[in-house]
Amino acid sequence: MYIVTAQQQIPLPVHEVWDYLTRPELLSRWFGDTAHLGPGEQFRMDFGDGDFLSGRVIEWDPGIVLGVRWRFIGHGPEYEVRYSMLRRKDGTELTVQDRGAITQQEAECMRVGWAEFLLRLNKAVVKNVNTRFSWRKAFLFTITVAQREAFVTALTDPDWYHASLAGVHARIRDCDENEINSIITHESWGPVETRLRVRLKNIRGTDYAIFAHEGWPQLPGNLAEAERRRFVTVWLDAMSEFAAGQEATAAYELQLA
């Protein structure tokens, strides 16, 4: 497990930075949409492109510390995120510590991601504008796999894709015990092909499947974002039979909430 840290000077007093971390109308300007945040409460944070975080608040000390635990789309490893604030003469020193990345590559991506999010927060404050990104051009997610053999059997069978992924067609390009690469198409997409890469890793005795489904920007303009958003739900439903524990059930229930 890796720990990522990012820091940004925000030209606001600590109580106003706290508001940007906890008040839904301010959070939505730079991060995501949520109905409510409060001490000990569960929440869901939506990003507008189908992606979401489901979690709960574990620390709540206004103007000092906000701690949360969450899972991306309700699946995979749980991340513990801690925002801490220090008063400075010209505002607030905001530090984010994120614990939970399972690979060095993921940790590096998270480090870059948090640096960007904090820059978005700073810009939202300084320029009084909405700095949210529109939509991610790839769908990246991780699940904890309960039965590796059954999982590999399914994802190397083109018929499974057609039955489980809303009628798509799959062409398996290459596969081994650690990686599966496929081409995914759908009749509504015309000739456009999307690419799926699934990497399997066993880390400290736990099997993880790391997905990257890419190629959405190549779909016709009126389909690209909508199909990318729709496939979050499609993948959630398809993975419910393989995800360890109650991840998939919890994710689906949160999605309907």
Side-chain angles (χ1 to χ4, degrees):
M1 183 181 296
Y2 293 83
I3 301 174
V4 171
T5 301
Q7 193 172 81
Q8 181 70 42
Q9 301 296 316
I10 309 295
L12 288 178
V14 291
H15 69 277
E16 292 186 34
V17 173
W18 175 263
D19 288 344
Y20 269 87
L21 298 176
T22 59
R23 286 176 52 185
E25 67 273 21
L26 295 178
L27 263 171
S28 68
R29 297 180 62 187
W30 68 277
F31 193 64
D33 300 316
T34 190
H36 182 69
L37 277 183
E41 293 182 354
Q42 292 187 336
F43 65 88
R44 170 173 161 144
M45 191 80 64
D46 286 280
F47 293 100
D49 58 359
D51 292 351
F52 65 91
L53 299 167
S54 59
R56 62 187 177 90
V57 177
I58 60 171
E59 286 186 87
W60 185 276
D61 194 348
I64 300 173
V65 173
L66 172 66
V68 297
R69 287 181 182 153
W70 60 37
R71 282 189 170 94
F72 181 68
I73 66 166
H75 278 273
E78 184 177 60
Y79 300 87
E80 184 171 318
V81 178
R82 192 174 192 267
Y83 302 89
S84 57
M85 287 142 275
L86 290 175
R87 287 182 172 84
R88 293 291 183 250
K89 184 170 62 175
D90 55 352
T92 299
E93 181 181 283
L94 175 62
T95 301
V96 178
Q97 184 182 79
D98 191 333
R99 180 193 301 265
I102 60 174
T103 67
Q104 186 174 356
Q105 181 181 14
E106 181 192 12
E108 178 59 24
C109 289
M110 290 173 61
R111 184 190 66 79
V112 172
W114 274 117
E116 180 179 346
F117 272 124
L118 294 187
L119 285 173
R120 290 178 183 274
L121 169 57
N122 192 65
K123 184 177 179 180
V125 167
V126 171
K127 296 185 178 296
N128 193 29
V129 295
N130 189 308
T131 58
R132 287 270 296 276
F133 64 81
S134 55
W135 60 292
R136 291 203 307 167
K137 305 306 186 287
F139 180 37
L140 311 172
F141 68 101
T142 299
I143 71 166
T144 307
V145 179
Q147 297 183 356
R148 181 169 177 149
E149 184 176 349
F151 176 84
V152 172
T153 298
L155 270 79
T156 53
D157 179 4
D159 291 337
W160 177 86
Y161 292 83
H162 189 70
S164 301
L165 295 182
V168 307
H169 298 280
R171 185 170 76 252
I172 311 301
R173 294 176 56 194
D174 54 77
C175 62
D176 58 34
E177 61 181 6
N178 296 315
E179 186 169 320
I180 304 166
N181 288 280
S182 309
I183 298 296
I184 306 294
T185 61
H186 193 282
E187 60 183 19
S188 68
W189 302 348
V192 176
E193 299 179 337
T194 61
R195 302 169 301 281
L196 174 67
R197 181 189 185 198
V198 183
R199 291 178 295 145
L200 287 152
K201 289 184 176 291
N202 184 281
I203 301 174
R204 292 182 290 278
T206 299
D207 285 321
Y208 294 97
I210 303 168
F211 287 74
H213 194 168
E214 302 174 295
W216 306 106
Q218 281 70 57
L219 270 62
N222 61 335
L223 282 178
E225 185 176 351
E227 282 295 273
R228 191 264 188 233
R229 182 184 300 111
R230 183 173 74 89
F231 259 75
V232 176
T233 303
V234 170
W235 273 116
L236 275 174
D237 290 344
M239 289 298 100
S240 62
E241 63 180 298
F242 303 115
Q246 299 300 311
E247 292 177 5
T249 300
Y252 192 65
E253 290 175 349
L254 278 164
Q255 192 167 22
L256 295 177

PDB file of all heavy atoms in Angstrom, residues 198-231:
ATOM      1  N   VAL A 198      -7.321  -5.614 -19.179  1.00  0.00           N
ATOM      2  CA  VAL A 198      -7.545  -6.054 -17.802  1.00  0.00           C
ATOM      3  C   VAL A 198      -6.269  -6.720 -17.314  1.00  0.00           C
ATOM      4  O   VAL A 198      -5.813  -7.714 -17.887  1.00  0.00           O
ATOM      5  CB  VAL A 198      -8.719  -7.044 -17.703  1.00  0.00           C
ATOM      6  CG1 VAL A 198      -8.962  -7.410 -16.234  1.00  0.00           C
ATOM      7  CG2 VAL A 198      -9.982  -6.466 -18.326  1.00  0.00           C
ATOM      8  N   ARG A 199      -5.685  -6.163 -16.274  1.00  0.00           N
ATOM      9  CA  ARG A 199      -4.478  -6.733 -15.669  1.00  0.00           C
ATOM     10  C   ARG A 199      -4.841  -7.364 -14.329  1.00  0.00           C
ATOM     11  O   ARG A 199      -5.572  -6.774 -13.539  1.00  0.00           O
ATOM     12  CB  ARG A 199      -3.406  -5.664 -15.474  1.00  0.00           C
ATOM     13  CG  ARG A 199      -2.800  -5.154 -16.775  1.00  0.00           C
ATOM     14  CD  ARG A 199      -1.789  -4.057 -16.505  1.00  0.00           C
ATOM     15  NE  ARG A 199      -2.442  -2.892 -15.930  1.00  0.00           N
ATOM     16  CZ  ARG A 199      -1.897  -2.095 -15.017  1.00  0.00           C
ATOM     17  NH1 ARG A 199      -0.684  -2.358 -14.541  1.00  0.00           N
ATOM     18  NH2 ARG A 199      -2.543  -1.041 -14.561  1.00  0.00           N
ATOM     19  N   LEU A 200      -4.335  -8.561 -14.096  1.00  0.00           N
ATOM     20  CA  LEU A 200      -4.587  -9.279 -12.848  1.00  0.00           C
ATOM     21  C   LEU A 200      -3.330  -9.257 -11.995  1.00  0.00           C
ATOM     22  O   LEU A 200      -2.239  -9.585 -12.472  1.00  0.00           O
ATOM     23  CB  LEU A 200      -4.993 -10.719 -13.148  1.00  0.00           C
ATOM     24  CG  LEU A 200      -6.411 -10.861 -13.718  1.00  0.00           C
ATOM     25  CD1 LEU A 200      -6.512 -12.085 -14.592  1.00  0.00           C
ATOM     26  CD2 LEU A 200      -7.431 -10.905 -12.595  1.00  0.00           C
ATOM     27  N   LYS A 201      -3.496  -8.842 -10.749  1.00  0.00           N
ATOM     28  CA  LYS A 201      -2.365  -8.788  -9.823  1.00  0.00           C
ATOM     29  C   LYS A 201      -2.775  -9.396  -8.492  1.00  0.00           C
ATOM     30  O   LYS A 201      -3.889  -9.145  -8.000  1.00  0.00           O
ATOM     31  CB  LYS A 201      -1.909  -7.342  -9.599  1.00  0.00           C
ATOM     32  CG  LYS A 201      -1.216  -6.708 -10.797  1.00  0.00           C
ATOM     33  CD  LYS A 201      -0.712  -5.315 -10.448  1.00  0.00           C
ATOM     34  CE  LYS A 201       0.068  -4.710 -11.609  1.00  0.00           C
ATOM     35  NZ  LYS A 201       1.363  -5.412 -11.816  1.00  0.00           N
ATOM     36  N   ASN A 202      -1.875 -10.202  -7.926  1.00  0.00           N
ATOM     37  CA  ASN A 202      -2.070 -10.698  -6.574  1.00  0.00           C
ATOM     38  C   ASN A 202      -1.129  -9.914  -5.665  1.00  0.00           C
ATOM     39  O   ASN A 202       0.093  -9.979  -5.813  1.00  0.00           O
ATOM     40  CB  ASN A 202      -1.781 -12.198  -6.488  1.00  0.00           C
ATOM     41  CG  ASN A 202      -2.087 -12.743  -5.104  1.00  0.00           C
ATOM     42  OD1 ASN A 202      -1.309 -12.593  -4.169  1.00  0.00           O
ATOM     43  ND2 ASN A 202      -3.243 -13.373  -4.981  1.00  0.00           N
ATOM     44  N   ILE A 203      -1.721  -9.162  -4.754  1.00  0.00           N
ATOM     45  CA  ILE A 203      -0.947  -8.313  -3.858  1.00  0.00           C
ATOM     46  C   ILE A 203      -1.264  -8.697  -2.428  1.00  0.00           C
ATOM     47  O   ILE A 203      -2.412  -8.609  -1.983  1.00  0.00           O
ATOM     48  CB  ILE A 203      -1.265  -6.824  -4.100  1.00  0.00           C
ATOM     49  CG1 ILE A 203      -0.936  -6.447  -5.558  1.00  0.00           C
ATOM     50  CG2 ILE A 203      -0.493  -5.934  -3.132  1.00  0.00           C
ATOM     51  CD1 ILE A 203      -1.347  -5.053  -5.941  1.00  0.00           C
ATOM     52  N   ARG A 204      -0.261  -9.214  -1.746  1.00  0.00           N
ATOM     53  CA  ARG A 204      -0.397  -9.666  -0.357  1.00  0.00           C
ATOM     54  C   ARG A 204      -1.579 -10.622  -0.185  1.00  0.00           C
ATOM     55  O   ARG A 204      -2.376 -10.509   0.749  1.00  0.00           O
ATOM     56  CB  ARG A 204      -0.520  -8.458   0.587  1.00  0.00           C
ATOM     57  CG  ARG A 204       0.759  -7.630   0.671  1.00  0.00           C
ATOM     58  CD  ARG A 204       0.617  -6.482   1.641  1.00  0.00           C
ATOM     59  NE  ARG A 204      -0.291  -5.464   1.139  1.00  0.00           N
ATOM     60  CZ  ARG A 204       0.059  -4.516   0.276  1.00  0.00           C
ATOM     61  NH1 ARG A 204       1.285  -4.448  -0.171  1.00  0.00           N
ATOM     62  NH2 ARG A 204      -0.825  -3.621  -0.137  1.00  0.00           N
ATOM     63  N   GLY A 205      -1.684 -11.555  -1.151  1.00  0.00           N
ATOM     64  CA  GLY A 205      -2.692 -12.607  -1.046  1.00  0.00           C
ATOM     65  C   GLY A 205      -4.069 -12.248  -1.560  1.00  0.00           C
ATOM     66  O   GLY A 205      -4.987 -13.082  -1.506  1.00  0.00           O
ATOM     67  N   THR A 206      -4.256 -11.032  -2.069  1.00  0.00           N
ATOM     68  CA  THR A 206      -5.548 -10.603  -2.597  1.00  0.00           C
ATOM     69  C   THR A 206      -5.448 -10.428  -4.106  1.00  0.00           C
ATOM     70  O   THR A 206      -4.502  -9.818  -4.601  1.00  0.00           O
ATOM     71  CB  THR A 206      -5.995  -9.278  -1.953  1.00  0.00           C
ATOM     72  OG1 THR A 206      -6.135  -9.465  -0.541  1.00  0.00           O
ATOM     73  CG2 THR A 206      -7.333  -8.812  -2.517  1.00  0.00           C
ATOM     74  N   ASP A 207      -6.428 -10.980  -4.838  1.00  0.00           N
ATOM     75  CA  ASP A 207      -6.458 -10.841  -6.293  1.00  0.00           C
ATOM     76  C   ASP A 207      -7.197  -9.571  -6.685  1.00  0.00           C
ATOM     77  O   ASP A 207      -8.346  -9.351  -6.260  1.00  0.00           O
ATOM     78  CB  ASP A 207      -7.146 -12.044  -6.941  1.00  0.00           C
ATOM     79  CG  ASP A 207      -6.275 -13.291  -6.946  1.00  0.00           C
ATOM     80  OD1 ASP A 207      -5.061 -13.147  -7.177  1.00  0.00           O
ATOM     81  OD2 ASP A 207      -6.807 -14.392  -6.719  1.00  0.00           O
ATOM     82  N   TYR A 208      -6.545  -8.749  -7.507  1.00  0.00           N
ATOM     83  CA  TYR A 208      -7.155  -7.531  -8.035  1.00  0.00           C
ATOM     84  C   TYR A 208      -7.212  -7.611  -9.561  1.00  0.00           C
ATOM     85  O   TYR A 208      -6.280  -8.138 -10.193  1.00  0.00           O
ATOM     86  CB  TYR A 208      -6.342  -6.292  -7.649  1.00  0.00           C
ATOM     87  CG  TYR A 208      -6.316  -5.997  -6.173  1.00  0.00           C
ATOM     88  CD1 TYR A 208      -5.256  -6.422  -5.385  1.00  0.00           C
ATOM     89  CD2 TYR A 208      -7.344  -5.263  -5.572  1.00  0.00           C
ATOM     90  CE1 TYR A 208      -5.218  -6.147  -4.031  1.00  0.00           C
ATOM     91  CE2 TYR A 208      -7.302  -4.979  -4.214  1.00  0.00           C
ATOM     92  CZ  TYR A 208      -6.243  -5.423  -3.443  1.00  0.00           C
ATOM     93  OH  TYR A 208      -6.208  -5.138  -2.104  1.00  0.00           O
ATOM     94  N   ALA A 209      -8.278  -7.075 -10.128  1.00  0.00           N
ATOM     95  CA  ALA A 209      -8.380  -6.900 -11.575  1.00  0.00           C
ATOM     96  C   ALA A 209      -8.426  -5.402 -11.844  1.00  0.00           C
ATOM     97  O   ALA A 209      -9.301  -4.695 -11.330  1.00  0.00           O
ATOM     98  CB  ALA A 209      -9.631  -7.572 -12.136  1.00  0.00           C
ATOM     99  N   ILE A 210      -7.477  -4.929 -12.648  1.00  0.00           N
ATOM    100  CA  ILE A 210      -7.337  -3.500 -12.935  1.00  0.00           C
ATOM    101  C   ILE A 210      -7.773  -3.270 -14.380  1.00  0.00           C
ATOM    102  O   ILE A 210      -7.143  -3.767 -15.319  1.00  0.00           O
ATOM    103  CB  ILE A 210      -5.881  -3.049 -12.716  1.00  0.00           C
ATOM    104  CG1 ILE A 210      -5.446  -3.373 -11.277  1.00  0.00           C
ATOM    105  CG2 ILE A 210      -5.727  -1.557 -13.000  1.00  0.00           C
ATOM    106  CD1 ILE A 210      -3.962  -3.240 -11.030  1.00  0.00           C
ATOM    107  N   PHE A 211      -8.858  -2.528 -14.562  1.00  0.00           N
ATOM    108  CA  PHE A 211      -9.483  -2.338 -15.867  1.00  0.00           C
ATOM    109  C   PHE A 211      -9.110  -0.975 -16.464  1.00  0.00           C
ATOM    110  O   PHE A 211      -9.053   0.032 -15.750  1.00  0.00           O
ATOM    111  CB  PHE A 211     -11.007  -2.369 -15.748  1.00  0.00           C
ATOM    112  CG  PHE A 211     -11.605  -3.725 -15.491  1.00  0.00           C
ATOM    113  CD1 PHE A 211     -11.496  -4.324 -14.239  1.00  0.00           C
ATOM    114  CD2 PHE A 211     -12.290  -4.397 -16.488  1.00  0.00           C
ATOM    115  CE1 PHE A 211     -12.059  -5.565 -13.991  1.00  0.00           C
ATOM    116  CE2 PHE A 211     -12.865  -5.636 -16.255  1.00  0.00           C
ATOM    117  CZ  PHE A 211     -12.748  -6.223 -15.006  1.00  0.00           C
ATOM    118  N   ALA A 212      -8.927  -0.951 -17.772  1.00  0.00           N
ATOM    119  CA  ALA A 212      -8.826   0.301 -18.529  1.00  0.00           C
ATOM    120  C   ALA A 212      -9.644   0.116 -19.798  1.00  0.00           C
ATOM    121  O   ALA A 212      -9.268  -0.653 -20.692  1.00  0.00           O
ATOM    122  CB  ALA A 212      -7.379   0.620 -18.865  1.00  0.00           C
ATOM    123  N   HIS A 213     -10.800   0.766 -19.865  1.00  0.00           N
ATOM    124  CA  HIS A 213     -11.662   0.718 -21.046  1.00  0.00           C
ATOM    125  C   HIS A 213     -11.569   2.085 -21.727  1.00  0.00           C
ATOM    126  O   HIS A 213     -12.018   3.092 -21.186  1.00  0.00           O
ATOM    127  CB  HIS A 213     -13.104   0.405 -20.654  1.00  0.00           C
ATOM    128  CG  HIS A 213     -13.971   0.024 -21.820  1.00  0.00           C
ATOM    129  ND1 HIS A 213     -15.221  -0.523 -21.667  1.00  0.00           N
ATOM    130  CD2 HIS A 213     -13.758   0.088 -23.166  1.00  0.00           C
ATOM    131  CE1 HIS A 213     -15.744  -0.757 -22.852  1.00  0.00           C
ATOM    132  NE2 HIS A 213     -14.883  -0.382 -23.771  1.00  0.00           N
ATOM    133  N   GLU A 214     -10.961   2.106 -22.907  1.00  0.00           N
ATOM    134  CA  GLU A 214     -10.611   3.357 -23.575  1.00  0.00           C
ATOM    135  C   GLU A 214     -11.183   3.406 -24.997  1.00  0.00           C
ATOM    136  O   GLU A 214     -11.575   2.388 -25.544  1.00  0.00           O
ATOM    137  CB  GLU A 214      -9.087   3.509 -23.631  1.00  0.00           C
ATOM    138  CG  GLU A 214      -8.427   3.484 -22.263  1.00  0.00           C
ATOM    139  CD  GLU A 214      -6.923   3.498 -22.343  1.00  0.00           C
ATOM    140  OE1 GLU A 214      -6.351   2.521 -22.863  1.00  0.00           O
ATOM    141  OE2 GLU A 214      -6.321   4.492 -21.890  1.00  0.00           O
ATOM    142  N   GLY A 215     -11.189   4.626 -25.541  1.00  0.00           N
ATOM    143  CA  GLY A 215     -11.628   4.819 -26.914  1.00  0.00           C
ATOM    144  C   GLY A 215     -12.930   5.570 -27.056  1.00  0.00           C
ATOM    145  O   GLY A 215     -13.406   5.799 -28.163  1.00  0.00           O
ATOM    146  N   TRP A 216     -13.498   6.020 -25.951  1.00  0.00           N
ATOM    147  CA  TRP A 216     -14.791   6.714 -25.997  1.00  0.00           C
ATOM    148  C   TRP A 216     -14.790   7.973 -26.854  1.00  0.00           C
ATOM    149  O   TRP A 216     -15.785   8.244 -27.543  1.00  0.00           O
ATOM    150  CB  TRP A 216     -15.253   7.035 -24.571  1.00  0.00           C
ATOM    151  CG  TRP A 216     -15.280   5.837 -23.689  1.00  0.00           C
ATOM    152  CD1 TRP A 216     -14.397   5.530 -22.695  1.00  0.00           C
ATOM    153  CD2 TRP A 216     -16.197   4.737 -23.734  1.00  0.00           C
ATOM    154  NE1 TRP A 216     -14.713   4.324 -22.121  1.00  0.00           N
ATOM    155  CE2 TRP A 216     -15.814   3.814 -22.740  1.00  0.00           C
ATOM    156  CE3 TRP A 216     -17.305   4.453 -24.531  1.00  0.00           C
ATOM    157  CZ2 TRP A 216     -16.495   2.635 -22.507  1.00  0.00           C
ATOM    158  CZ3 TRP A 216     -17.999   3.269 -24.308  1.00  0.00           C
ATOM    159  CH2 TRP A 216     -17.592   2.377 -23.312  1.00  0.00           C
ATOM    160  N   PRO A 217     -13.737   8.783 -26.874  1.00  0.00           N
ATOM    161  CA  PRO A 217     -13.783  10.002 -27.706  1.00  0.00           C
ATOM    162  C   PRO A 217     -13.953   9.718 -29.203  1.00  0.00           C
ATOM    163  O   PRO A 217     -14.338  10.614 -29.950  1.00  0.00           O
ATOM    164  CB  PRO A 217     -12.422  10.670 -27.431  1.00  0.00           C
ATOM    165  CG  PRO A 217     -12.037  10.188 -26.078  1.00  0.00           C
ATOM    166  CD  PRO A 217     -12.512   8.768 -26.040  1.00  0.00           C
ATOM    167  N   GLN A 218     -13.661   8.494 -29.647  1.00  0.00           N
ATOM    168  CA  GLN A 218     -13.803   8.169 -31.072  1.00  0.00           C
ATOM    169  C   GLN A 218     -15.254   7.890 -31.470  1.00  0.00           C
ATOM    170  O   GLN A 218     -15.570   7.831 -32.655  1.00  0.00           O
ATOM    171  CB  GLN A 218     -12.940   6.950 -31.415  1.00  0.00           C
ATOM    172  CG  GLN A 218     -11.458   7.257 -31.598  1.00  0.00           C
ATOM    173  CD  GLN A 218     -10.790   7.613 -30.296  1.00  0.00           C
ATOM    174  OE1 GLN A 218     -10.817   6.846 -29.341  1.00  0.00           O
ATOM    175  NE2 GLN A 218     -10.172   8.795 -30.232  1.00  0.00           N
ATOM    176  N   LEU A 219     -16.139   7.718 -30.475  1.00  0.00           N
ATOM    177  CA  LEU A 219     -17.548   7.523 -30.803  1.00  0.00           C
ATOM    178  C   LEU A 219     -18.131   8.806 -31.374  1.00  0.00           C
ATOM    179  O   LEU A 219     -17.612   9.894 -31.133  1.00  0.00           O
ATOM    180  CB  LEU A 219     -18.329   7.120 -29.550  1.00  0.00           C
ATOM    181  CG  LEU A 219     -18.455   5.627 -29.249  1.00  0.00           C
ATOM    182  CD1 LEU A 219     -17.109   4.994 -29.007  1.00  0.00           C
ATOM    183  CD2 LEU A 219     -19.380   5.396 -28.058  1.00  0.00           C
ATOM    184  N   PRO A 220     -19.232   8.706 -32.160  1.00  0.00           N
ATOM    185  CA  PRO A 220     -19.886   9.917 -32.661  1.00  0.00           C
ATOM    186  C   PRO A 220     -20.179  10.895 -31.530  1.00  0.00           C
ATOM    187  O   PRO A 220     -20.460  10.482 -30.396  1.00  0.00           O
ATOM    188  CB  PRO A 220     -21.182   9.380 -33.288  1.00  0.00           C
ATOM    189  CG  PRO A 220     -20.849   7.966 -33.665  1.00  0.00           C
ATOM    190  CD  PRO A 220     -19.901   7.481 -32.591  1.00  0.00           C
ATOM    191  N   GLY A 221     -20.102  12.178 -31.827  1.00  0.00           N
ATOM    192  CA  GLY A 221     -20.185  13.220 -30.808  1.00  0.00           C
ATOM    193  C   GLY A 221     -21.370  13.112 -29.874  1.00  0.00           C
ATOM    194  O   GLY A 221     -21.249  13.402 -28.680  1.00  0.00           O
ATOM    195  N   ASN A 222     -22.529  12.698 -30.402  1.00  0.00           N
ATOM    196  CA  ASN A 222     -23.716  12.631 -29.558  1.00  0.00           C
ATOM    197  C   ASN A 222     -23.765  11.368 -28.714  1.00  0.00           C
ATOM    198  O   ASN A 222     -24.670  11.193 -27.906  1.00  0.00           O
ATOM    199  CB  ASN A 222     -24.987  12.726 -30.414  1.00  0.00           C
ATOM    200  CG  ASN A 222     -25.096  11.586 -31.416  1.00  0.00           C
ATOM    201  OD1 ASN A 222     -24.086  10.993 -31.808  1.00  0.00           O
ATOM    202  ND2 ASN A 222     -26.307  11.287 -31.848  1.00  0.00           N
ATOM    203  N   LEU A 223     -22.786  10.472 -28.905  1.00  0.00           N
ATOM    204  CA  LEU A 223     -22.767   9.224 -28.156  1.00  0.00           C
ATOM    205  C   LEU A 223     -21.621   9.136 -27.160  1.00  0.00           C
ATOM    206  O   LEU A 223     -21.733   8.437 -26.158  1.00  0.00           O
ATOM    207  CB  LEU A 223     -22.654   8.024 -29.117  1.00  0.00           C
ATOM    208  CG  LEU A 223     -23.909   7.565 -29.852  1.00  0.00           C
ATOM    209  CD1 LEU A 223     -23.565   6.413 -30.781  1.00  0.00           C
ATOM    210  CD2 LEU A 223     -24.994   7.140 -28.868  1.00  0.00           C
ATOM    211  N   ALA A 224     -20.513   9.807 -27.442  1.00  0.00           N
ATOM    212  CA  ALA A 224     -19.265   9.574 -26.719  1.00  0.00           C
ATOM    213  C   ALA A 224     -19.425   9.666 -25.197  1.00  0.00           C
ATOM    214  O   ALA A 224     -19.193   8.685 -24.477  1.00  0.00           O
ATOM    215  CB  ALA A 224     -18.191  10.544 -27.200  1.00  0.00           C
ATOM    216  N   GLU A 225     -19.824  10.820 -24.711  1.00  0.00           N
ATOM    217  CA  GLU A 225     -19.917  10.999 -23.265  1.00  0.00           C
ATOM    218  C   GLU A 225     -21.039  10.162 -22.671  1.00  0.00           C
ATOM    219  O   GLU A 225     -20.882   9.571 -21.594  1.00  0.00           O
ATOM    220  CB  GLU A 225     -20.115  12.473 -22.926  1.00  0.00           C
ATOM    221  CG  GLU A 225     -20.090  12.755 -21.438  1.00  0.00           C
ATOM    222  CD  GLU A 225     -20.195  14.235 -21.110  1.00  0.00           C
ATOM    223  OE1 GLU A 225     -20.123  15.064 -22.048  1.00  0.00           O
ATOM    224  OE2 GLU A 225     -20.332  14.566 -19.922  1.00  0.00           O
ATOM    225  N   ALA A 226     -22.171  10.077 -23.371  1.00  0.00           N
ATOM    226  CA  ALA A 226     -23.311   9.325 -22.840  1.00  0.00           C
ATOM    227  C   ALA A 226     -22.996   7.838 -22.720  1.00  0.00           C
ATOM    228  O   ALA A 226     -23.355   7.192 -21.724  1.00  0.00           O
ATOM    229  CB  ALA A 226     -24.525   9.532 -23.741  1.00  0.00           C
ATOM    230  N   GLU A 227     -22.314   7.275 -23.715  1.00  0.00           N
ATOM    231  CA  GLU A 227     -21.982   5.857 -23.658  1.00  0.00           C
ATOM    232  C   GLU A 227     -20.919   5.583 -22.602  1.00  0.00           C
ATOM    233  O   GLU A 227     -20.971   4.574 -21.902  1.00  0.00           O
ATOM    234  CB  GLU A 227     -21.500   5.362 -25.020  1.00  0.00           C
ATOM    235  CG  GLU A 227     -22.609   5.118 -26.021  1.00  0.00           C
ATOM    236  CD  GLU A 227     -23.518   3.974 -25.578  1.00  0.00           C
ATOM    237  OE1 GLU A 227     -23.217   2.808 -25.885  1.00  0.00           O
ATOM    238  OE2 GLU A 227     -24.538   4.254 -24.912  1.00  0.00           O
ATOM    239  N   ARG A 228     -19.970   6.466 -22.485  1.00  0.00           N
ATOM    240  CA  ARG A 228     -18.955   6.305 -21.437  1.00  0.00           C
ATOM    241  C   ARG A 228     -19.620   6.314 -20.065  1.00  0.00           C
ATOM    242  O   ARG A 228     -19.304   5.509 -19.186  1.00  0.00           O
ATOM    243  CB  ARG A 228     -17.916   7.422 -21.561  1.00  0.00           C
ATOM    244  CG  ARG A 228     -16.663   7.207 -20.679  1.00  0.00           C
ATOM    245  CD  ARG A 228     -16.852   7.980 -19.404  1.00  0.00           C
ATOM    246  NE  ARG A 228     -15.623   7.981 -18.613  1.00  0.00           N
ATOM    247  CZ  ARG A 228     -15.561   7.616 -17.337  1.00  0.00           C
ATOM    248  NH1 ARG A 228     -16.628   7.219 -16.701  1.00  0.00           N
ATOM    249  NH2 ARG A 228     -14.419   7.665 -16.693  1.00  0.00           N
ATOM    250  N   ARG A 229     -20.592   7.217 -19.868  1.00  0.00           N
ATOM    251  CA  ARG A 229     -21.310   7.297 -18.598  1.00  0.00           C
ATOM    252  C   ARG A 229     -22.146   6.034 -18.376  1.00  0.00           C
ATOM    253  O   ARG A 229     -22.154   5.465 -17.277  1.00  0.00           O
ATOM    254  CB  ARG A 229     -22.210   8.530 -18.582  1.00  0.00           C
ATOM    255  CG  ARG A 229     -22.967   8.727 -17.264  1.00  0.00           C
ATOM    256  CD  ARG A 229     -23.917   9.908 -17.317  1.00  0.00           C
ATOM    257  NE  ARG A 229     -23.205  11.140 -17.577  1.00  0.00           N
ATOM    258  CZ  ARG A 229     -23.298  11.845 -18.708  1.00  0.00           C
ATOM    259  NH1 ARG A 229     -24.074  11.403 -19.697  1.00  0.00           N
ATOM    260  NH2 ARG A 229     -22.622  12.949 -18.877  1.00  0.00           N
ATOM    261  N   ARG A 230     -22.823   5.575 -19.425  1.00  0.00           N
ATOM    262  CA  ARG A 230     -23.679   4.396 -19.308  1.00  0.00           C
ATOM    263  C   ARG A 230     -22.878   3.154 -18.945  1.00  0.00           C
ATOM    264  O   ARG A 230     -23.350   2.302 -18.176  1.00  0.00           O
ATOM    265  CB  ARG A 230     -24.432   4.171 -20.624  1.00  0.00           C
ATOM    266  CG  ARG A 230     -25.421   3.015 -20.597  1.00  0.00           C
ATOM    267  CD  ARG A 230     -26.241   2.978 -21.875  1.00  0.00           C
ATOM    268  NE  ARG A 230     -25.469   2.490 -22.992  1.00  0.00           N
ATOM    269  CZ  ARG A 230     -25.356   1.203 -23.332  1.00  0.00           C
ATOM    270  NH1 ARG A 230     -25.956   0.273 -22.597  1.00  0.00           N
ATOM    271  NH2 ARG A 230     -24.664   0.841 -24.393  1.00  0.00           N
ATOM    272  N   PHE A 231     -21.666   3.048 -19.472  1.00  0.00           N
ATOM    273  CA  PHE A 231     -20.894   1.845 -19.256  1.00  0.00           C
ATOM    274  C   PHE A 231     -20.356   1.711 -17.838  1.00  0.00           C
ATOM    275  O   PHE A 231     -19.930   0.629 -17.435  1.00  0.00           O
ATOM    276  CB  PHE A 231     -19.776   1.717 -20.298  1.00  0.00           C
ATOM    277  CG  PHE A 231     -20.135   0.762 -21.394  1.00  0.00           C
ATOM    278  CD1 PHE A 231     -21.039   1.128 -22.370  1.00  0.00           C
ATOM    279  CD2 PHE A 231     -19.604  -0.517 -21.421  1.00  0.00           C
ATOM    280  CE1 PHE A 231     -21.405   0.240 -23.366  1.00  0.00           C
ATOM    281  CE2 PHE A 231     -19.953  -1.415 -22.404  1.00  0.00           C
ATOM    282  CZ  PHE A 231     -20.864  -1.042 -23.389  1.00  0.00           C
TER     283      PHE A 231
END
